[in-house]
Structures are given as structure tokens and as C-alpha cells.
Amino acid sequence: MVNLSGIMKEGKAFYLAYDQGLEHGPEEFNDRNVDPLFIIKIAKEGRYNGLIVQKGIADKYHREIKASKVPLIIKLNGKTALVKGEPISPLLCTVDEAVKLGARAVGYTIYIGSAHESLMMKDFEKVLREAHSKGLPVIAWVYPRGKSIKGKSERELMAYAARVGLEIDADMIKIKYDGNPKDLKWAIKAAGSGRVKLVIAGGSKVNEELFIKNIRDIIKAGAAGVAVGRNVWKSDNPIKLSKKIRKIIFKK
Ligand code: FBP
């Protein structure tokens, strides 16, 4: 098992995700949050213990990310939202490159259920082996997608995503929350009741009250933390909101 202390504090994870420029495109942004410097400032002032970006931002904003002292998590694969059909997320950055850019951990997406699932599983295995040989934790984004998941319940899919993370030996699993704390408790059990840390994605922007309620429920259910993006950097006051989330996660 690799050491997670570089990206966790007191066993908790509090990450700011900013790979949506690739995954969704600039339509997610406004004049303020289109600028990576604005995000780095939130990560620093909000005292996140991880900033998740693709290699391009890690490279072009290397100086500022380093100066912020926020641990860097590089997402190694990705795709745009423009291609339709069964999703596949190709590798865009190697573990070696991530290490050179100063990453403390790497992230990798697997779309379970996609017709291309096996290719992503195979790449994940290589990434895991390389990362572990360098003592670097691997966070698996496990998202059920594709035609084959139609008709399956959200509870079933969320627990399956969590279990896949345990089975493939991810150090941490990032999944989407279906909004039901009971289902999340089951997913946490499926992931070995804490043997693999579970972090939850924020999702598209919702009103702050609901967002905070979800974070409370998520932490109460036993998740290790959150990796949030849009709900924070689209907020009118991202630092204030970050402080609220921090308080729920760290209870201080
Ligand atoms: P958000 O908190 O903004 O949802 O970010 C979490 C995340 O996993 C990002 O890392 C990623 O860009 C995005 O969601 C992918 O979302 P989707 O696959 O649903 O388009």
C-alpha cells in the first residue's frame, strides 16, 4: 500500500477539481473561473489538500501551483465532450511526466460498462504499476457509462463503481453520489469499509444549501472526503464556501 499522507490530512481528502475545461469545454466557465490562476488562488486560500488538473495546466502554471504549496494531482487521461458513443478516455500523460511536473498523486478515469472498458482497465493496470513503483498514489475515477448500464439502478451502479476500485487496487476511488446516504453507506462497504478511500465528485452546480447538505450526508455516511469543482469555482464566494466544506470534513 502506498502512503497517502501527501494528499490527505487526518485521513481526510479535500480536493479542488479543475479538469472540466477538457471534459466539458469552456462553456462551463465565466470570465473569472476560465483563468487557472483564479482556481489556484481558491485552492490555496481554501486550504485544499489537492488540486486536480490535466498536464497542460500543471506545466503552464507550474510556478504558481508550486508556490501555492497545494499538493498537485495530475489527471492522466481525459477526453472532450464532443465525441458521442461509447466513452473511452485515453492516456494523455505518463506517470514519469506527472512526477517531473511535481505530482503527489495521479488520477485515472475508467468508464465501467463502456464497450471500451477493457482498454481503460488495461491502461489503469500499467499506470498503477508505474505509480506504485515511484510511491505515488493512484485515484481511480470510476464512472459507469455506456449503453450497457441502461436499466441498472443508481444504487447498484454506485456500489459497483466503488467495488471495482477495491478489486483493481486503486488507492482512492472517486465516484458520483446518487443523493441517497443509505446507498453511499452500501458503496463504502463494497469498497472494503474504508480499506480504499472513497471521495465524492461535486457534480453540476446546484444551490448552495443542497450542496452543503450533500457534503454533510456524504461525510456522515463515511466517505473520506470530496473532490469538487463546479460547485466551488462557479460560486459567487468560492473561499467562503470552501471554508464551509472544510469545516464539515475536518470538523473544525
Ligand atoms: P465536478 O465537481 O465539477 O463535478 O468535478 C468532478 C469531475 O469528476 C471532474 O474531475 C470531471 O471533469 C468531471 O467531474 C467529469 O464529469 P462528467 O464525466 O460527468 O462529465
Side-chain angles (χ1 to χ4, degrees):
M1 271 207 9
V2 292
N3 189 337
L4 295 176
S5 62
I7 53 161
M8 291 189 99
K9 266 203 187 102
E10 297 159 26
K12 301 286 177 200
F14 178 41
Y15 307 144
L16 189 63
Y18 190 60
D19 59 333
Q20 294 82 351
L22 176 68
E23 298 289 338
H24 301 157
E27 69 174 36
E28 290 280 9
F29 300 142
N30 59 26
D31 277 347
R32 208 161 65 139
N33 58 36
V34 71
D35 182 358
L37 292 176
F38 177 68
I39 307 298
I40 297 166
K41 191 168 181 279
I42 300 172
K44 182 177 180 216
E45 290 177 18
R47 298 170 57 217
Y48 283 79
N49 48 19
L51 170 66
I52 301 163
V53 291
Q54 282 280 346
K55 137 178 151 179
I57 305 260
D59 182 28
K60 304 292 186 290
Y61 294 83
H62 184 256
R63 188 168 48 88
E64 291 88 351
I65 293 173
K66 196 171 173 204
S68 76
K69 297 201 164 65
V70 179
L72 173 66
I73 300 171
I74 298 190
K75 194 54 209 318
L76 298 184
N77 64 342
K79 62 162 188 55
T80 71
L82 299 172
V83 184
K84 299 297 169 208
E86 293 293 292
I88 179 159
S89 188
L91 206 59
L92 307 170
C93 175
T94 65
V95 170
D96 269 349
E97 285 168 333
V99 170
K100 280 187 195 125
L101 288 166
R104 305 289 295 274
V106 290
Y108 185 92
T109 298
I110 301 173
Y111 296 117
I112 56 166
S114 162
H116 309 298
E117 178 198 280
S118 60
L119 296 174
M120 290 171 276
M121 289 279 197
K122 239 171 147 184
D123 270 356
F124 178 83
E125 188 276 329
K126 272 189 227 140
V127 161
L128 190 77
R129 195 146 16 98
E130 275 172 44
H132 283 183
S133 74
K134 294 175 166 47
L136 217 62
V138 181
I139 307 170
W141 275 226
V142 189
Y143 293 167
R145 294 280 156 90
K147 280 197 283 233
S148 70
I149 67 162
K150 274 205 185 109
K152 303 237 183 298
S153 74
E154 291 207 54
R155 172 186 161 90
E156 190 185 340
L157 289 170
M158 191 167 74
Y160 206 161
R163 183 67 184 204
V164 166
L166 171 67
E167 302 282 350
I168 63 176
D169 200 21
D171 301 300
M172 198 181 272
I173 314 161
K174 183 174 177 213
I175 59 168
K176 303 227 181 203
Y177 175 51
D178 72 352
N180 183 336
K182 273 196 193 146
D183 294 353
L184 181 57
K185 279 189 188 155
W186 173 236
I188 291 169
K189 273 197 182 146
S193 301
R195 293 291 168 113
V196 190
K197 304 291 173 203
L198 212 95
V199 296
I200 307 294
S204 50
K205 177 100 170 69
V206 293
N207 74 63
E208 194 175 307
E209 215 174 296
L210 175 62
F211 180 61
I212 287 293
K213 180 196 174 298
N214 281 338
I215 304 248
R216 271 207 193 95
D217 288 348
I218 284 164
I219 298 303
K220 215 170 141 204
V226 295
V228 291
R230 290 166 285 178
N231 275 284
V232 170
W233 44 254
K234 281 188 179 182
S235 152
D236 292 338
N237 196 335
I239 305 293
K240 201 169 154 205
L241 178 56
S242 301
K243 282 186 181 151
K244 282 189 195 168
I245 306 170
R246 212 188 145 72
K247 217 168 164 189
I248 298 169
I249 296 178
F250 295 97
K251 303 192 174 32
K252 60 185 174 197

